[in-house]
PDB file of all heavy atoms in Angstrom:
ATOM      1  N   MET Y  14      31.215 -62.782 -23.210  1.00  0.00           N
ATOM      2  CA  MET Y  14      31.031 -62.618 -21.765  1.00  0.00           C
ATOM      3  C   MET Y  14      31.284 -61.173 -21.366  1.00  0.00           C
ATOM      4  O   MET Y  14      32.355 -60.625 -21.661  1.00  0.00           O
ATOM      5  CB  MET Y  14      31.976 -63.548 -21.000  1.00  0.00           C
ATOM      6  CG  MET Y  14      31.738 -63.532 -19.511  1.00  0.00           C
ATOM      7  SD  MET Y  14      32.539 -64.914 -18.644  1.00  0.00           S
ATOM      8  CE  MET Y  14      34.250 -64.627 -19.021  1.00  0.00           C
ATOM      9  N   PRO Y  15      30.304 -60.541 -20.702  1.00  0.00           N
ATOM     10  CA  PRO Y  15      30.510 -59.160 -20.278  1.00  0.00           C
ATOM     11  C   PRO Y  15      31.593 -59.069 -19.219  1.00  0.00           C
ATOM     12  O   PRO Y  15      31.701 -59.929 -18.344  1.00  0.00           O
ATOM     13  CB  PRO Y  15      29.152 -58.736 -19.717  1.00  0.00           C
ATOM     14  CG  PRO Y  15      28.344 -59.960 -19.585  1.00  0.00           C
ATOM     15  CD  PRO Y  15      29.003 -61.068 -20.324  1.00  0.00           C
ATOM     16  N   GLY Y  16      32.380 -58.005 -19.327  1.00  0.00           N
ATOM     17  CA  GLY Y  16      33.410 -57.735 -18.328  1.00  0.00           C
ATOM     18  C   GLY Y  16      33.156 -56.371 -17.735  1.00  0.00           C
ATOM     19  O   GLY Y  16      32.058 -56.081 -17.276  1.00  0.00           O
ATOM     20  N   GLU Y  17      34.146 -55.498 -17.830  1.00  0.00           N
ATOM     21  CA  GLU Y  17      33.927 -54.136 -17.343  1.00  0.00           C
ATOM     22  C   GLU Y  17      32.937 -53.445 -18.274  1.00  0.00           C
ATOM     23  O   GLU Y  17      32.701 -53.921 -19.392  1.00  0.00           O
ATOM     24  CB  GLU Y  17      35.260 -53.391 -17.225  1.00  0.00           C
ATOM     25  CG  GLU Y  17      36.074 -53.289 -18.469  1.00  0.00           C
ATOM     26  CD  GLU Y  17      37.432 -52.639 -18.238  1.00  0.00           C
ATOM     27  OE1 GLU Y  17      38.162 -53.052 -17.328  1.00  0.00           O
ATOM     28  OE2 GLU Y  17      37.746 -51.709 -18.993  1.00  0.00           O
ATOM     29  N   PRO Y  18      32.329 -52.334 -17.846  1.00  0.00           N
ATOM     30  CA  PRO Y  18      31.300 -51.690 -18.669  1.00  0.00           C
ATOM     31  C   PRO Y  18      31.764 -51.437 -20.106  1.00  0.00           C
ATOM     32  O   PRO Y  18      32.839 -50.895 -20.333  1.00  0.00           O
ATOM     33  CB  PRO Y  18      31.035 -50.380 -17.931  1.00  0.00           C
ATOM     34  CG  PRO Y  18      31.346 -50.694 -16.502  1.00  0.00           C
ATOM     35  CD  PRO Y  18      32.528 -51.646 -16.572  1.00  0.00           C
ATOM     36  N   GLY Y  19      30.932 -51.878 -21.058  1.00  0.00           N
ATOM     37  CA  GLY Y  19      31.208 -51.685 -22.468  1.00  0.00           C
ATOM     38  C   GLY Y  19      32.152 -52.701 -23.088  1.00  0.00           C
ATOM     39  O   GLY Y  19      32.373 -52.683 -24.284  1.00  0.00           O
ATOM     40  N   ALA Y  20      32.723 -53.586 -22.277  1.00  0.00           N
ATOM     41  CA  ALA Y  20      33.701 -54.555 -22.773  1.00  0.00           C
ATOM     42  C   ALA Y  20      33.147 -55.973 -22.689  1.00  0.00           C
ATOM     43  O   ALA Y  20      32.602 -56.377 -21.662  1.00  0.00           O
ATOM     44  CB  ALA Y  20      34.995 -54.460 -21.979  1.00  0.00           C
ATOM     45  N   TYR Y  21      33.289 -56.712 -23.784  1.00  0.00           N
ATOM     46  CA  TYR Y  21      32.883 -58.115 -23.839  1.00  0.00           C
ATOM     47  C   TYR Y  21      34.066 -58.950 -24.305  1.00  0.00           C
ATOM     48  O   TYR Y  21      34.780 -58.565 -25.238  1.00  0.00           O
ATOM     49  CB  TYR Y  21      31.719 -58.323 -24.811  1.00  0.00           C
ATOM     50  CG  TYR Y  21      30.389 -57.936 -24.239  1.00  0.00           C
ATOM     51  CD1 TYR Y  21      30.028 -56.604 -24.117  1.00  0.00           C
ATOM     52  CD2 TYR Y  21      29.484 -58.908 -23.819  1.00  0.00           C
ATOM     53  CE1 TYR Y  21      28.795 -56.238 -23.591  1.00  0.00           C
ATOM     54  CE2 TYR Y  21      28.252 -58.556 -23.289  1.00  0.00           C
ATOM     55  CZ  TYR Y  21      27.920 -57.220 -23.182  1.00  0.00           C
ATOM     56  OH  TYR Y  21      26.702 -56.871 -22.658  1.00  0.00           O
ATOM     57  N   GLU Y  22      34.233 -60.087 -23.649  1.00  0.00           N
ATOM     58  CA  GLU Y  22      35.267 -61.024 -24.041  1.00  0.00           C
ATOM     59  C   GLU Y  22      34.669 -62.112 -24.923  1.00  0.00           C
ATOM     60  O   GLU Y  22      33.687 -62.745 -24.548  1.00  0.00           O
ATOM     61  CB  GLU Y  22      35.893 -61.663 -22.797  1.00  0.00           C
ATOM     62  CG  GLU Y  22      36.959 -62.686 -23.117  1.00  0.00           C
ATOM     63  CD  GLU Y  22      37.476 -63.437 -21.905  1.00  0.00           C
ATOM     64  OE1 GLU Y  22      37.014 -63.169 -20.776  1.00  0.00           O
ATOM     65  OE2 GLU Y  22      38.333 -64.315 -22.094  1.00  0.00           O
ATOM     66  N   LEU Y  23      35.255 -62.304 -26.098  1.00  0.00           N
ATOM     67  CA  LEU Y  23      34.939 -63.478 -26.904  1.00  0.00           C
ATOM     68  C   LEU Y  23      35.691 -64.614 -26.229  1.00  0.00           C
ATOM     69  O   LEU Y  23      36.917 -64.570 -26.118  1.00  0.00           O
ATOM     70  CB  LEU Y  23      35.424 -63.288 -28.341  1.00  0.00           C
ATOM     71  CG  LEU Y  23      35.235 -64.518 -29.216  1.00  0.00           C
ATOM     72  CD1 LEU Y  23      33.798 -64.601 -29.708  1.00  0.00           C
ATOM     73  CD2 LEU Y  23      36.183 -64.487 -30.390  1.00  0.00           C
ATOM     74  N   THR Y  24      34.968 -65.592 -25.732  1.00  0.00           N
ATOM     75  CA  THR Y  24      35.600 -66.606 -24.892  1.00  0.00           C
ATOM     76  C   THR Y  24      34.971 -67.971 -25.090  1.00  0.00           C
ATOM     77  O   THR Y  24      33.902 -68.094 -25.679  1.00  0.00           O
ATOM     78  CB  THR Y  24      35.533 -66.179 -23.404  1.00  0.00           C
ATOM     79  OG1 THR Y  24      36.323 -67.064 -22.609  1.00  0.00           O
ATOM     80  CG2 THR Y  24      34.097 -66.153 -22.889  1.00  0.00           C
ATOM     81  N   LYS Y  25      35.657 -68.956 -24.590  1.00  0.00           N
ATOM     82  CA  LYS Y  25      35.165 -70.341 -24.592  1.00  0.00           C
ATOM     83  C   LYS Y  25      34.665 -70.739 -25.971  1.00  0.00           C
ATOM     84  O   LYS Y  25      33.589 -71.272 -26.134  1.00  0.00           O
ATOM     85  CB  LYS Y  25      34.069 -70.531 -23.532  1.00  0.00           C
ATOM     86  CG  LYS Y  25      34.519 -70.183 -22.116  1.00  0.00           C
ATOM     87  CD  LYS Y  25      35.633 -71.092 -21.647  1.00  0.00           C
ATOM     88  CE  LYS Y  25      36.095 -70.784 -20.252  1.00  0.00           C
ATOM     89  NZ  LYS Y  25      37.222 -69.838 -20.208  1.00  0.00           N
ATOM     90  N   MET Y  26      35.522 -70.461 -26.969  1.00  0.00           N
ATOM     91  CA  MET Y  26      35.182 -70.853 -28.326  1.00  0.00           C
ATOM     92  C   MET Y  26      35.965 -72.100 -28.683  1.00  0.00           C
ATOM     93  O   MET Y  26      37.188 -72.107 -28.635  1.00  0.00           O
ATOM     94  CB  MET Y  26      35.490 -69.735 -29.315  1.00  0.00           C
ATOM     95  CG  MET Y  26      34.950 -70.085 -30.684  1.00  0.00           C
ATOM     96  SD  MET Y  26      34.983 -68.695 -31.788  1.00  0.00           S
ATOM     97  CE  MET Y  26      35.433 -69.556 -33.272  1.00  0.00           C
ATOM     98  N   GLY Y  27      35.237 -73.145 -29.002  1.00  0.00           N
ATOM     99  CA  GLY Y  27      35.879 -74.392 -29.373  1.00  0.00           C
ATOM    100  C   GLY Y  27      35.029 -75.175 -30.355  1.00  0.00           C
ATOM    101  O   GLY Y  27      33.805 -75.013 -30.405  1.00  0.00           O
ATOM    102  N   VAL Y  28      35.694 -76.022 -31.121  1.00  0.00           N
ATOM    103  CA  VAL Y  28      35.037 -76.897 -32.090  1.00  0.00           C
ATOM    104  C   VAL Y  28      35.560 -78.304 -31.839  1.00  0.00           C
ATOM    105  O   VAL Y  28      36.746 -78.493 -31.574  1.00  0.00           O
ATOM    106  CB  VAL Y  28      35.346 -76.439 -33.539  1.00  0.00           C
ATOM    107  CG1 VAL Y  28      34.821 -77.423 -34.561  1.00  0.00           C
ATOM    108  CG2 VAL Y  28      34.763 -75.054 -33.787  1.00  0.00           C
ATOM    109  N   LEU Y  29      34.670 -79.281 -31.906  1.00  0.00           N
ATOM    110  CA  LEU Y  29      35.086 -80.669 -31.729  1.00  0.00           C
ATOM    111  C   LEU Y  29      36.199 -81.014 -32.715  1.00  0.00           C
ATOM    112  O   LEU Y  29      36.185 -80.557 -33.869  1.00  0.00           O
ATOM    113  CB  LEU Y  29      33.909 -81.615 -31.954  1.00  0.00           C
ATOM    114  CG  LEU Y  29      32.773 -81.553 -30.925  1.00  0.00           C
ATOM    115  CD1 LEU Y  29      31.626 -82.454 -31.365  1.00  0.00           C
ATOM    116  CD2 LEU Y  29      33.282 -81.951 -29.551  1.00  0.00           C
ATOM    117  N   ALA Y  30      37.148 -81.842 -32.280  1.00  0.00           N
ATOM    118  CA  ALA Y  30      38.308 -82.178 -33.108  1.00  0.00           C
ATOM    119  C   ALA Y  30      37.899 -82.708 -34.481  1.00  0.00           C
ATOM    120  O   ALA Y  30      38.481 -82.322 -35.499  1.00  0.00           O
ATOM    121  CB  ALA Y  30      39.195 -83.183 -32.379  1.00  0.00           C
ATOM    122  N   ASP Y  31      36.883 -83.556 -34.534  1.00  0.00           N
ATOM    123  CA  ASP Y  31      36.504 -84.136 -35.830  1.00  0.00           C
ATOM    124  C   ASP Y  31      35.698 -83.183 -36.712  1.00  0.00           C
ATOM    125  O   ASP Y  31      35.406 -83.495 -37.858  1.00  0.00           O
ATOM    126  CB  ASP Y  31      35.776 -85.472 -35.661  1.00  0.00           C
ATOM    127  CG  ASP Y  31      34.487 -85.362 -34.871  1.00  0.00           C
ATOM    128  OD1 ASP Y  31      34.157 -84.254 -34.388  1.00  0.00           O
ATOM    129  OD2 ASP Y  31      33.807 -86.387 -34.723  1.00  0.00           O
ATOM    130  N   ALA Y  32      35.380 -81.996 -36.210  1.00  0.00           N
ATOM    131  CA  ALA Y  32      34.669 -81.000 -37.012  1.00  0.00           C
ATOM    132  C   ALA Y  32      35.573 -79.841 -37.422  1.00  0.00           C
ATOM    133  O   ALA Y  32      35.124 -78.933 -38.116  1.00  0.00           O
ATOM    134  CB  ALA Y  32      33.457 -80.472 -36.247  1.00  0.00           C
ATOM    135  N   ARG Y  33      36.837 -79.885 -37.007  1.00  0.00           N
ATOM    136  CA  ARG Y  33      37.762 -78.820 -37.397  1.00  0.00           C
ATOM    137  C   ARG Y  33      38.033 -78.923 -38.888  1.00  0.00           C
ATOM    138  O   ARG Y  33      38.100 -80.000 -39.442  1.00  0.00           O
ATOM    139  CB  ARG Y  33      39.043 -78.906 -36.579  1.00  0.00           C
ATOM    140  CG  ARG Y  33      38.775 -78.569 -35.130  1.00  0.00           C
ATOM    141  CD  ARG Y  33      39.989 -78.573 -34.249  1.00  0.00           C
ATOM    142  NE  ARG Y  33      39.549 -78.467 -32.864  1.00  0.00           N
ATOM    143  CZ  ARG Y  33      40.109 -79.098 -31.853  1.00  0.00           C
ATOM    144  NH1 ARG Y  33      41.161 -79.871 -32.042  1.00  0.00           N
ATOM    145  NH2 ARG Y  33      39.625 -78.952 -30.632  1.00  0.00           N
ATOM    146  N   GLY Y  34      38.148 -77.765 -39.531  1.00  0.00           N
ATOM    147  CA  GLY Y  34      38.380 -77.738 -40.965  1.00  0.00           C
ATOM    148  C   GLY Y  34      37.103 -77.767 -41.785  1.00  0.00           C
ATOM    149  O   GLY Y  34      37.154 -77.749 -43.010  1.00  0.00           O
ATOM    150  N   THR Y  35      35.950 -77.779 -41.117  1.00  0.00           N
ATOM    151  CA  THR Y  35      34.667 -77.827 -41.826  1.00  0.00           C
ATOM    152  C   THR Y  35      34.049 -76.444 -42.018  1.00  0.00           C
ATOM    153  O   THR Y  35      32.997 -76.332 -42.631  1.00  0.00           O
ATOM    154  CB  THR Y  35      33.650 -78.694 -41.057  1.00  0.00           C
ATOM    155  OG1 THR Y  35      33.366 -78.059 -39.799  1.00  0.00           O
ATOM    156  CG2 THR Y  35      34.173 -80.105 -40.828  1.00  0.00           C
ATOM    157  N   GLY Y  36      34.667 -75.420 -41.442  1.00  0.00           N
ATOM    158  CA  GLY Y  36      34.098 -74.084 -41.493  1.00  0.00           C
ATOM    159  C   GLY Y  36      33.244 -73.761 -40.287  1.00  0.00           C
ATOM    160  O   GLY Y  36      32.719 -72.653 -40.168  1.00  0.00           O
ATOM    161  N   ALA Y  37      33.103 -74.714 -39.366  1.00  0.00           N
ATOM    162  CA  ALA Y  37      32.274 -74.484 -38.180  1.00  0.00           C
ATOM    163  C   ALA Y  37      32.819 -73.338 -37.337  1.00  0.00           C
ATOM    164  O   ALA Y  37      32.058 -72.488 -36.867  1.00  0.00           O
ATOM    165  CB  ALA Y  37      32.173 -75.755 -37.342  1.00  0.00           C
ATOM    166  N   GLY Y  38      34.131 -73.292 -37.149  1.00  0.00           N
ATOM    167  CA  GLY Y  38      34.727 -72.231 -36.343  1.00  0.00           C
ATOM    168  C   GLY Y  38      34.528 -70.865 -36.970  1.00  0.00           C
ATOM    169  O   GLY Y  38      34.178 -69.898 -36.286  1.00  0.00           O
ATOM    170  N   ALA Y  39      34.745 -70.766 -38.273  1.00  0.00           N
ATOM    171  CA  ALA Y  39      34.577 -69.488 -38.965  1.00  0.00           C
ATOM    172  C   ALA Y  39      33.119 -69.022 -38.908  1.00  0.00           C
ATOM    173  O   ALA Y  39      32.839 -67.847 -38.684  1.00  0.00           O
ATOM    174  CB  ALA Y  39      35.048 -69.596 -40.404  1.00  0.00           C
ATOM    175  N   ALA Y  40      32.185 -69.947 -39.103  1.00  0.00           N
ATOM    176  CA  ALA Y  40      30.761 -69.602 -39.046  1.00  0.00           C
ATOM    177  C   ALA Y  40      30.365 -69.141 -37.646  1.00  0.00           C
ATOM    178  O   ALA Y  40      29.628 -68.163 -37.479  1.00  0.00           O
ATOM    179  CB  ALA Y  40      29.914 -70.794 -39.482  1.00  0.00           C
ATOM    180  N   LEU Y  41      30.854 -69.846 -36.661  1.00  0.00           N
ATOM    181  CA  LEU Y  41      30.555 -69.501 -35.273  1.00  0.00           C
ATOM    182  C   LEU Y  41      31.141 -68.136 -34.921  1.00  0.00           C
ATOM    183  O   LEU Y  41      30.465 -67.285 -34.328  1.00  0.00           O
ATOM    184  CB  LEU Y  41      31.110 -70.591 -34.352  1.00  0.00           C
ATOM    185  CG  LEU Y  41      30.766 -70.530 -32.885  1.00  0.00           C
ATOM    186  CD1 LEU Y  41      29.256 -70.557 -32.658  1.00  0.00           C
ATOM    187  CD2 LEU Y  41      31.412 -71.717 -32.173  1.00  0.00           C
ATOM    188  N   LEU Y  42      32.388 -67.899 -35.324  1.00  0.00           N
ATOM    189  CA  LEU Y  42      33.032 -66.618 -35.043  1.00  0.00           C
ATOM    190  C   LEU Y  42      32.277 -65.477 -35.719  1.00  0.00           C
ATOM    191  O   LEU Y  42      32.033 -64.433 -35.098  1.00  0.00           O
ATOM    192  CB  LEU Y  42      34.489 -66.652 -35.501  1.00  0.00           C
ATOM    193  CG  LEU Y  42      35.298 -65.379 -35.268  1.00  0.00           C
ATOM    194  CD1 LEU Y  42      35.322 -64.980 -33.802  1.00  0.00           C
ATOM    195  CD2 LEU Y  42      36.714 -65.568 -35.800  1.00  0.00           C
ATOM    196  N   ALA Y  43      31.880 -65.661 -36.972  1.00  0.00           N
ATOM    197  CA  ALA Y  43      31.123 -64.614 -37.678  1.00  0.00           C
ATOM    198  C   ALA Y  43      29.806 -64.319 -36.968  1.00  0.00           C
ATOM    199  O   ALA Y  43      29.415 -63.154 -36.818  1.00  0.00           O
ATOM    200  CB  ALA Y  43      30.869 -65.039 -39.125  1.00  0.00           C
ATOM    201  N   ALA Y  44      29.120 -65.355 -36.506  1.00  0.00           N
ATOM    202  CA  ALA Y  44      27.849 -65.162 -35.791  1.00  0.00           C
ATOM    203  C   ALA Y  44      28.072 -64.435 -34.467  1.00  0.00           C
ATOM    204  O   ALA Y  44      27.274 -63.566 -34.083  1.00  0.00           O
ATOM    205  CB  ALA Y  44      27.169 -66.515 -35.560  1.00  0.00           C
ATOM    206  N   LEU Y  45      29.150 -64.760 -33.771  1.00  0.00           N
ATOM    207  CA  LEU Y  45      29.444 -64.086 -32.502  1.00  0.00           C
ATOM    208  C   LEU Y  45      29.797 -62.618 -32.722  1.00  0.00           C
ATOM    209  O   LEU Y  45      29.361 -61.752 -31.965  1.00  0.00           O
ATOM    210  CB  LEU Y  45      30.572 -64.811 -31.761  1.00  0.00           C
ATOM    211  CG  LEU Y  45      30.158 -66.135 -31.117  1.00  0.00           C
ATOM    212  CD1 LEU Y  45      31.374 -66.991 -30.798  1.00  0.00           C
ATOM    213  CD2 LEU Y  45      29.320 -65.894 -29.869  1.00  0.00           C
ATOM    214  N   ILE Y  46      30.549 -62.326 -33.767  1.00  0.00           N
ATOM    215  CA  ILE Y  46      30.873 -60.927 -34.074  1.00  0.00           C
ATOM    216  C   ILE Y  46      29.602 -60.159 -34.426  1.00  0.00           C
ATOM    217  O   ILE Y  46      29.399 -59.029 -33.963  1.00  0.00           O
ATOM    218  CB  ILE Y  46      31.921 -60.841 -35.207  1.00  0.00           C
ATOM    219  CG1 ILE Y  46      33.282 -61.343 -34.704  1.00  0.00           C
ATOM    220  CG2 ILE Y  46      32.037 -59.412 -35.737  1.00  0.00           C
ATOM    221  CD1 ILE Y  46      34.320 -61.532 -35.799  1.00  0.00           C
ATOM    222  N   ASP Y  47      28.725 -60.769 -35.212  1.00  0.00           N
ATOM    223  CA  ASP Y  47      27.443 -60.115 -35.541  1.00  0.00           C
ATOM    224  C   ASP Y  47      26.638 -59.825 -34.278  1.00  0.00           C
ATOM    225  O   ASP Y  47      26.052 -58.753 -34.142  1.00  0.00           O
ATOM    226  CB  ASP Y  47      26.622 -60.979 -36.496  1.00  0.00           C
ATOM    227  CG  ASP Y  47      27.152 -60.935 -37.922  1.00  0.00           C
ATOM    228  OD1 ASP Y  47      27.976 -60.049 -38.242  1.00  0.00           O
ATOM    229  OD2 ASP Y  47      26.740 -61.804 -38.720  1.00  0.00           O
ATOM    230  N   ARG Y  48      26.591 -60.796 -33.376  1.00  0.00           N
ATOM    231  CA  ARG Y  48      25.860 -60.589 -32.114  1.00  0.00           C
ATOM    232  C   ARG Y  48      26.508 -59.492 -31.282  1.00  0.00           C
ATOM    233  O   ARG Y  48      25.812 -58.688 -30.665  1.00  0.00           O
ATOM    234  CB  ARG Y  48      25.779 -61.891 -31.314  1.00  0.00           C
ATOM    235  CG  ARG Y  48      24.879 -62.949 -31.916  1.00  0.00           C
ATOM    236  CD  ARG Y  48      23.402 -62.559 -31.931  1.00  0.00           C
ATOM    237  NE  ARG Y  48      22.817 -62.435 -30.628  1.00  0.00           N
ATOM    238  CZ  ARG Y  48      22.271 -63.433 -29.944  1.00  0.00           C
ATOM    239  NH1 ARG Y  48      22.215 -64.637 -30.457  1.00  0.00           N
ATOM    240  NH2 ARG Y  48      21.764 -63.224 -28.745  1.00  0.00           N
ATOM    241  N   ALA Y  49      27.839 -59.452 -31.264  1.00  0.00           N
ATOM    242  CA  ALA Y  49      28.539 -58.413 -30.497  1.00  0.00           C
ATOM    243  C   ALA Y  49      28.187 -57.028 -31.018  1.00  0.00           C
ATOM    244  O   ALA Y  49      27.942 -56.110 -30.230  1.00  0.00           O
ATOM    245  CB  ALA Y  49      30.049 -58.639 -30.560  1.00  0.00           C
ATOM    246  N   ARG Y  50      28.140 -56.883 -32.331  1.00  0.00           N
ATOM    247  CA  ARG Y  50      27.808 -55.578 -32.920  1.00  0.00           C
ATOM    248  C   ARG Y  50      26.423 -55.101 -32.486  1.00  0.00           C
ATOM    249  O   ARG Y  50      26.170 -53.901 -32.443  1.00  0.00           O
ATOM    250  CB  ARG Y  50      27.834 -55.670 -34.444  1.00  0.00           C
ATOM    251  CG  ARG Y  50      29.209 -55.714 -35.027  1.00  0.00           C
ATOM    252  CD  ARG Y  50      29.112 -55.636 -36.551  1.00  0.00           C
ATOM    253  NE  ARG Y  50      30.423 -55.652 -37.151  1.00  0.00           N
ATOM    254  CZ  ARG Y  50      30.847 -56.611 -37.975  1.00  0.00           C
ATOM    255  NH1 ARG Y  50      30.056 -57.609 -38.302  1.00  0.00           N
ATOM    256  NH2 ARG Y  50      32.050 -56.552 -38.475  1.00  0.00           N
TER     257      ARG Y  50
END
């Protein structure tokens, strides 16, 4: 989410309880970091 100029907040990141531990969070985080770059 864009904030002040040049700054983005990684926010509202969640994984369903029954999908935790499957690597979904890590995959999602990596994709978000790639998009941020």
Side-chain angles (χ1 to χ4, degrees):
M14 186 165 61
E17 57 185 51
Y21 281 76
E22 178 186 0
L23 175 80
T24 189
K25 302 297 180 268
M26 188 168 142
V28 173
L29 293 175
D31 61 357
R33 292 182 190 142
T35 65
L41 188 58
L42 180 58
L45 286 162
I46 290 170
D47 284 346
R48 290 294 294 272
R50 285 187 179 118

